[in-house]
Amino acid sequence: MKEFDALVIGAGMGGMATAALWAKRGKSVKVLESHYSSGGCAGYFKRREGIYDAGATTLSGLKKGRPTQRLIEELDLDVRLFPCDPGMIIHRKNSIFTFHKDLTKLINEIRNEFNLDLSKEVQEWLIIEEKLWYSLQAARPIQMLSADHLFKLLTGGSLSLALKPQIFFKSFFDFLPKKARENEDFIRCLDQILMISTQQTSKTCPAFMGILGFLYPLDTYAIDGGMYGLCKSLEKKILEYGGSIDFRNPCLFISEHQNAFVVESKKEVYKAHHLILNISPEQFNKIYKSGFSIEQENDEIWGALTAYFAVKTKEPIQGCYHQVHTKKGSLFFSLSHTEDNLRKSDYQMITVSTHIDKKDFSESNKDETYYNKKNKFEELVTSKFKEAFSQYGIEEIKFDSVGTPKTFEFYTSRPEGEVGGLVHNSLWSLTRLLPNQYRKKNIFHTGDYSFPGQGIVSVFQSAFNTL
Ligand SMILES: Cc1cc2nc3c(=O)[nH]c(=O)nc-3n(C[C@H](O)[C@H](O)[C@H](O)COP(=O)(O)OP(=O)(O)OC[C@H]3O[C@@H](n4cnc5c(N)ncnc54)[C@H](O)[C@@H]3O)c2cc1C
């Protein structure tokens, strides 16, 4: 049996970031991944036209001191980033709202588009946002809060946050000034922005999440090669620091023996002193055979519907992130950056995503209804694309495929294809997240089922927390 300090189950962003950080600290680390490539929900797949992002496309948390920036610095990751300005371009029914990174321009855009002056509020939200990010560095799941963390929380940014308790207990909608609440057009647009960043709308989203979510486009970046670029740079670091990754090698059973874990995978059996889980609690419970289980109340997780296609246009389409509003909600179009070098291609590669209920595609994938629904989505995506981007002179659309919750379940093993992470609908929902370590066991969690939750940036913070 090969022996390791730590065995990481899953090479999602959480598993890989954690493996690299532990390996850098001199631990012998092995990552087991069931799929043939890394990234999980933030993975990629290759086609003749180029490389597609499979799920996640935007990178955030790159301002100084934020988790993604700290990870890149700590691991000296070899990634080329493109700051996205505008952070997002929103195609509304009859107009375009540009989410500029420059504050004055953004405030003017809100004023012109919605006849709404939010200059004072946006400035205030920016200050709160900075403090919330600072607190995140000290914040830990309750089980892991030490006196030192508590001191940092209270003496750092969050003391002034404590003086604004309403941001934790009010919904973002109720926190907004009356003039914004009464502006239906603004609320409709805000809700779609929040769906991307917080996975909920202003009325269900606590104000502190709403502030972070609304300002998310101010800190968005594209990456050379898309998620393929990020995955490859993380893989490289794991190997450079002496760790290793096994692809197509799912972990099947785990048991405990003489204070160590015995991990049976498809290819081999390993012994490990620490177990790092990048998988769902439900999955862990199925494979762990030594009388310990993890419970998590997790009914509020979305499914995703995605579409992938490559385009040729007369002029390259500008802006990586476009949200196109539809009758029922919105579609998020992510385009490869015009200067993307790693994905050198004659095409711009496009990933489209939208939220759906996990149960929406619950019929068998051999069922005709399943195929009809997929076809309908393909039609919607291509027609909306043509409407929104016709000015670039569309020459060719090479449609690849539609991804449903079943597709995500197949490639990531997430139950029913649930993706993104638990939805935070109150301050207390943070306590539903799995701790990054169990006190009495050398079992760790990383990824969006664990604290602090959703999205790549939080997943990177969870990797730091395991240290
Ligand atoms: C469509 C979509 C769009 C998104 N957009 C964004 C975005 O733009 N920006 C953003 O920040 N976030 C986005 N997200 C969310 C983000 O992708 C996820 O929160 C994050 O990638 C989760 O990473 P993870 O490491 O927690 O888990 P996962 O990505 O689920 O990784 C878990 C890994 O474990 C592997 N695995 C499972 N079981 C086993 C086993 N038994 N043995 C070995 N390996 C196993 C899986 O194959 C997988 O690779 C999006 C998600 C989706 C689905």
Side-chain angles (χ1 to χ4, degrees):
M1 243 193 286
K2 286 184 191 150
E3 192 170 334
F4 293 92
D5 290 326
L7 242 145
V8 182
I9 320 279
M13 286 297 164
M16 286 203 291
T18 311
L21 288 170
W22 280 52
K24 189 184 172 194
R25 276 158 179 73
K27 304 283 180 203
S28 58
V29 178
K30 159 77 81 192
V31 185
L32 298 182
E33 167 58 48
S34 50
H35 194 34
Y36 60 76
S37 59
S38 62
C41 293
Y44 60 90
F45 60 93
K46 292 182 176 177
R47 290 288 191 263
R48 194 176 302 152
E49 295 76 38
I51 305 175
Y52 287 104
D53 286 333
T57 53
T58 55
L59 206 57
S60 71
L62 278 137
K63 288 192 182 167
K64 196 156 175 42
R66 295 186 185 178
T68 310
Q69 183 271 338
R70 284 193 287 128
L71 189 84
I72 291 175
E73 203 172 287
E74 164 96 27
L75 295 176
D76 190 21
L77 285 184
D78 181 17
V79 284
R80 182 166 164 240
L81 298 167
F82 306 111
C84 294
D85 193 6
M88 207 197 303
I89 299 167
I90 301 169
H91 302 249
R92 300 185 344 107
K93 198 172 170 201
N94 297 313
S95 62
I96 287 186
F97 174 71
T98 307
F99 208 112
H100 296 287
K101 284 206 164 149
D102 177 272
L103 214 56
T104 316
K105 278 193 191 168
L106 175 63
I107 287 165
N108 282 338
E109 185 79 358
I110 299 174
R111 194 178 287 124
N112 295 337
E113 187 67 16
F114 304 105
N115 195 17
L116 178 67
D117 179 6
L118 285 183
S119 43
K120 200 171 100 294
E121 288 79 6
V122 173
Q123 312 256 16
E124 188 198 17
W125 297 347
L126 269 174
I127 297 169
I128 297 176
E129 185 212 22
E130 207 44 56
K131 296 192 163 129
L132 285 167
W133 280 103
Y134 179 88
S135 299
L136 190 61
Q137 284 183 45
R140 292 288 183 279
I142 288 170
Q143 299 89 325
M144 284 177 75
L145 261 184
S146 65
D148 178 42
H149 290 129
L150 209 55
F151 181 74
K152 208 168 162 196
L153 262 173
L154 294 173
T155 54
S158 45
L159 185 60
S160 47
L161 290 180
L163 299 174
K164 274 198 172 297
Q166 69 273 33
I167 65 166
F168 297 110
F169 300 109
K170 272 190 174 179
S171 73
F172 192 36
F173 183 84
D174 290 336
F175 177 75
L176 287 170
K178 191 162 175 264
K179 58 189 173 188
R181 287 200 305 269
E182 287 175 350
N183 190 322
E184 282 179 24
D185 208 19
F186 172 72
I187 296 294
R188 210 172 299 125
C189 187
L190 170 72
D191 282 348
Q192 292 309 315
I193 297 174
L194 294 180
M195 274 308 285
I196 288 186
S197 50
T198 69
Q199 310 206 52
Q200 51 192 323
T201 55
S202 53
K203 284 191 177 143
T204 57
C205 175
F208 76 101
M209 286 289 297
I211 291 169
L212 291 173
F214 178 71
L215 298 177
Y216 175 86
L218 294 181
D219 188 17
T220 47
Y221 288 72
I223 186 163
D224 196 6
M227 288 301 145
Y228 168 79
L230 188 55
C231 286
K232 288 292 151 194
S233 67
L234 279 164
E235 283 176 26
K236 194 171 147 201
K237 283 296 156 182
I238 294 170
L239 303 184
E240 239 176 71
Y241 293 130
S244 55
I245 314 174
D246 269 12
F247 291 106
R248 294 181 203 267
N249 193 15
C251 168
L252 304 176
F253 298 106
I254 307 169
S255 54
E256 274 183 64
H257 187 65
Q258 292 176 347
N259 290 329
F261 300 101
V262 176
V263 177
E264 290 180 46
S265 72
K266 192 175 158 194
K267 296 181 187 165
E268 257 181 274
V269 182
Y270 307 94
K271 184 175 172 185
H273 299 280
H274 301 85
L275 202 58
I276 300 174
L277 308 174
N278 186 209
I279 54 175
S280 69
E282 205 174 314
Q283 238 199 316
F284 171 78
N285 292 340
K286 275 188 200 150
I287 58 181
Y288 196 77
K289 304 290 172 198
S290 281
F292 174 69
S293 65
I294 302 166
E295 298 307 322
Q296 185 176 45
E297 189 202 320
N298 66 353
D299 51 342
E300 289 165 89
I301 304 187
W302 287 98
L305 194 56
T306 50
Y308 311 95
F309 60 97
V311 292
K312 275 187 186 166
T313 44
K314 283 203 176 80
E315 298 288 327
I317 300 174
Q318 298 301 317
C320 290
Y321 305 120
H322 293 256
Q323 188 181 56
V324 178
H325 289 190
T326 62
K327 268 190 206 138
K328 286 191 182 158
S330 63
L331 298 171
F332 190 56
F333 286 77
S334 300
L335 291 88
S336 53
H337 196 274
T338 50
E339 288 167 38
D340 197 313
N341 256 337
L342 273 175
R343 286 196 274 189
K344 264 187 215 110
S345 163
D346 296 338
Y347 293 87
Q348 259 183 299
M349 309 303 291
I350 303 186
T351 296
V352 187
S353 63
T354 192
H355 293 79
I356 54 161
D357 190 314
K358 292 180 283 190
K359 308 264 185 264
D360 276 1
F361 276 79
S362 52
E363 58 276 282
S364 152
N365 56 6
K366 293 188 178 61
D367 195 302
E368 207 182 316
T369 337
Y370 182 85
Y371 277 98
N372 290 343
K373 284 190 204 165
K374 277 175 76 166
N375 289 341
K376 231 170 136 188
F377 187 60
E378 176 179 339
E379 276 165 29
L380 175 73
V381 164
T382 31
S383 76
K384 283 289 164 193
F385 176 74
K386 286 177 187 163
E387 247 174 59
F389 298 95
S390 58
Q391 74 272 29
Y392 290 97
I394 301 167
E395 291 177 329
E396 185 187 351
I397 297 180
K398 220 161 173 177
F399 198 88
D400 187 89
S401 50
V402 167
T404 69
K406 283 213 159 54
T407 321
F408 278 93
E409 187 175 17
F410 179 76
Y411 285 110
T412 65
S413 313
R414 292 170 76 110
E416 297 180 286
E418 61 189 22
V419 289
L422 246 69
V423 176
H424 292 317
N425 49 15
S426 74
L427 184 62
W428 309 122
S429 57
L430 287 171
T431 60
R432 288 191 304 161
L433 290 159
L434 303 176
N436 306 115
Q437 185 195 1
Y438 286 97
R439 270 200 202 287
K440 287 198 185 128
K441 288 205 171 277
N442 283 330
I443 299 181
F444 296 74
H445 294 282
T446 184
D448 61 13
Y449 286 96
S450 70
F451 190 88
Q454 300 169 14
I456 298 171
V457 60
S458 303
V459 160
F460 284 163
Q461 180 62 43
S462 75
F464 278 113
N465 289 357
T466 65
L467 297 175

